[in-house]
Amino acid sequence: MQLRQLRGANLRIGVSTVVADLNVAELSALGRLVVDLGLDWLKVEELYPVGTFSRQHLLQPRDQRLTAAMQALREVIEPAGVLLIDHLSPKSGCPCQIADDPKLLEFRLADDFGSRAHFRPCRAAWEQACIDPDGTVHPIDYFQPALGSLLHTPLLELWHGPAMQQRRARALMQLAEPMRRACPH
């Protein structure tokens, strides 16, 4: 951190962790480590139940152990100025919806700070793709159906192909026209 300050580096450093029943009791210790290292943020993410292991060790956001551990974590990191990015039950929405939802504003500011990006979920079908190590391309995130593989089709062809055009048409239908017209993005 001293080198960052000395050089005037515009750099944010943090830790992202996935919480499960196996490590929930360690959250405050992780928070102390993040504070001791002088990091900027700590993101606590949900376990996604995609397999046997994750289903067995999943903690629901309202689980008492998790609620207590998150409160203890806040007590450790917030006085030190470390930003907590709570991804356990993230608020969904775009910046144009913030005026109606203070919790969404809090989440968007924290998540965008840690990611050093401005995510706009309503634009995800036009701006985000995930690529598996084997070249499989998913629109938006890894949980979306695959568009195809880079081993067989160039990215731009997949990105502008019929499957993405349909995905974008569905995304537009999910947004009310007044919101689409008022969105500054």
Side-chain angles (χ1 to χ4, degrees), residues 10-183:
N10 186 3
L11 179 66
R12 297 177 191 157
I13 303 172
V15 168
S16 180
T17 188
V18 175
V19 69
D21 67 349
L22 298 170
N23 67 347
V24 69
E26 300 171 13
L27 279 181
S28 59
L30 178 59
R32 284 189 293 279
L33 177 62
V34 165
V35 168
D36 290 347
L37 291 172
L39 303 183
D40 301 301
W41 54 267
L42 172 59
K43 182 189 295 186
V44 179
E45 298 194 64
E46 70 280 15
L47 184 64
Y48 197 81
V50 295
T52 303
F53 177 85
S54 56
R55 281 191 293 277
Q56 288 175 343
H57 298 288
L58 178 70
L59 281 175
Q60 296 298 325
R62 290 182 174 34
D63 185 292
Q64 291 179 352
R65 294 171 295 166
L66 184 53
T67 302
M70 289 296 287
Q71 181 57 41
L73 176 61
R74 282 183 180 88
E75 291 170 4
V76 169
I77 68 170
E78 287 178 355
V82 175
L83 179 67
L84 176 62
I85 305 169
D86 183 348
H87 248 261
L88 297 173
S89 54
K91 293 290 291 183
S92 180
C94 288
C96 55
Q97 299 168 313
I98 286 174
D100 301 330
D101 190 344
K103 286 290 192 186
L104 176 58
L105 172 61
E106 180 182 336
F107 174 73
R108 282 275 39 98
L109 290 173
D111 195 51
D112 290 355
F113 177 86
S115 300
R116 202 166 188 114
H118 298 287
F119 288 104
R120 301 175 295 191
C122 63
R123 299 277 315 143
W126 289 266
E127 297 177 348
Q128 289 177 219
C130 294
I131 302 173
D132 292 334
D134 68 0
T136 301
V137 178
H138 302 267
I140 304 170
D141 60 40
Y142 290 106
F143 304 110
Q144 302 296 320
L147 296 172
S149 172
L150 296 178
L151 296 176
H152 310 290
T153 311
L155 179 60
L156 286 178
E157 191 173 321
L158 293 171
W159 194 242
H160 296 295
M164 273 311 294
Q165 296 304 322
Q166 290 172 354
R167 179 71 176 97
R168 291 178 182 127
R170 284 193 307 274
L172 283 174
M173 290 188 316
Q174 293 173 352
L175 294 172
E177 186 175 341
M179 183 177 286
R180 288 196 315 262
R181 291 188 186 280
C183 182

